[in-house]
């Protein structure tokens, strides 16, 4: 019962803060509300017994990605005054398009038959031990390739932020 | 903490659809390239949450490994994307996405 209330609370926080990310005028407020949304998502991971992913989510998103975002916002000195404005017609069109997308997704997935849910569900699948065994067993090669991805991302970031490219 | 007894999987599908749609609205609604990036993160996040929910309800560890890889790709994407954004800002002196309409028909 307790976890149900927690689920609804986290859902409310996630959706409310996601809306505020989109509709707040100041980019720094958007970034801060996005951090709250990430924490709510991490709470959902905890509820789903994915402790390892919850920890990684907080570290990677709230710790690394959002710090990068806020750093860039502060470096570019973005605030409410320099925020570009879109015309009202485009805003209404965007909102209607997004709502239609949500409607289509919900309508398509609402009637899905979830027949294959196993009764003997194993609560320990999100633990770091099981996950590590799978990650370093079956997914060893993709894991190594992701390090190459990080290296190329690092090289790309350094190359792009050089002052002049000759 | 038996979440899957009390909450049907449909609730998670609904939540993730709503979060994804909010992200899509943000991409269409805002003109600041930085906020558009944030909304893309929101959409990635909702798909991650849905993968974890499915992995829990179907007792499958593979989905959580995929979420791990998606997080890795998102981190790499953000670092390169923000570097591109800095480059754009240096050349156009704005983060308005409509300043880059040279390829527009």
């Amino acid at each position: 019962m307790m976890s149900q209330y927690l689920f609804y609370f986290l859902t409310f926080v996630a959706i409310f803060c996601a809306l505020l990310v989109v509709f707040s005028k100041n980019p720094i407020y958007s970034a801060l509300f996005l951090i709250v949304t990430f924490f709510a998502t991490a709470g959902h991971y905890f509820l789903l017994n994915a402790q390892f992913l919850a920890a990684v989510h907080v570290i990677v998103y709230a710790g690394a990605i959002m710090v990068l975002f806020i750093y860039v916002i502060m470096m570019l000195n973005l605030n409410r005054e320099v925020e570009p404005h879109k015309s009202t017609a485009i805003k209404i069109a965007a909102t209607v398009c997004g709502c239609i997308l949500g409607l289509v997704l919900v309508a398509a997935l609402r009637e899905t038959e979830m027949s294959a849910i196993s009764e003997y569900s194993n609560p320990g699948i999100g633990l770091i031990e099981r996950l590590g065994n799978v990650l370093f067993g079956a997914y060893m090669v993709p894991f190594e390739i992701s390090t190459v991805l990080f290296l190329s991302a690092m090289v790309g970031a350094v190359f792009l932020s050089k002052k002049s490219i000759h | 903490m038996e979440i899957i007894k009390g909450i049907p999987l449909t609730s998670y599908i609904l939540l993730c659809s709503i979060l994804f749609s909010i992200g899509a609205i943000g991409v269409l609604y805002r003109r600041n390239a930085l906020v558009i990036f944030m909304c893309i993160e929101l959409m990635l996040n909702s798909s991650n949450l849905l993968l974890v929910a499915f992995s829990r309800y179907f007792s499958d560890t593979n989905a959580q490994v995929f979420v791990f890889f998606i997080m890795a790709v998102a981190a790499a994407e953000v670092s390169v994307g923000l570097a591109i954004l800095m480059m754009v800002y240096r050349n156009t002196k704005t983060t308005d996405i409509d300043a880059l309409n040279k390829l527009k028909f």
Side-chain angles (χ1 to χ4, degrees), chain A residues 108-127:
Chain A
L109 296 170
R110 197 170 56 93
E111 297 293 325
T112 330
E113 282 291 325
M114 297 298 169
S115 55
I117 293 176
S118 50
E119 289 296 321
Y120 57 92
S121 79
N122 181 0
I125 60 158
L127 299 179

Side-chain angles (χ1 to χ4, degrees), chain A residues 22 24 38 48 83 85-86, chain B residues 28 30-31 45 56 87:
Chain A
V22 175
S24 58
F38 285 157
L48 289 164
E83 178 71 13
H85 293 290
K86 249 181 182 169
Chain B
L28 297 169
R30 297 299 292 261
R31 272 173 64 184
N45 235 313
R56 180 75 185 87
M87 194 79 183

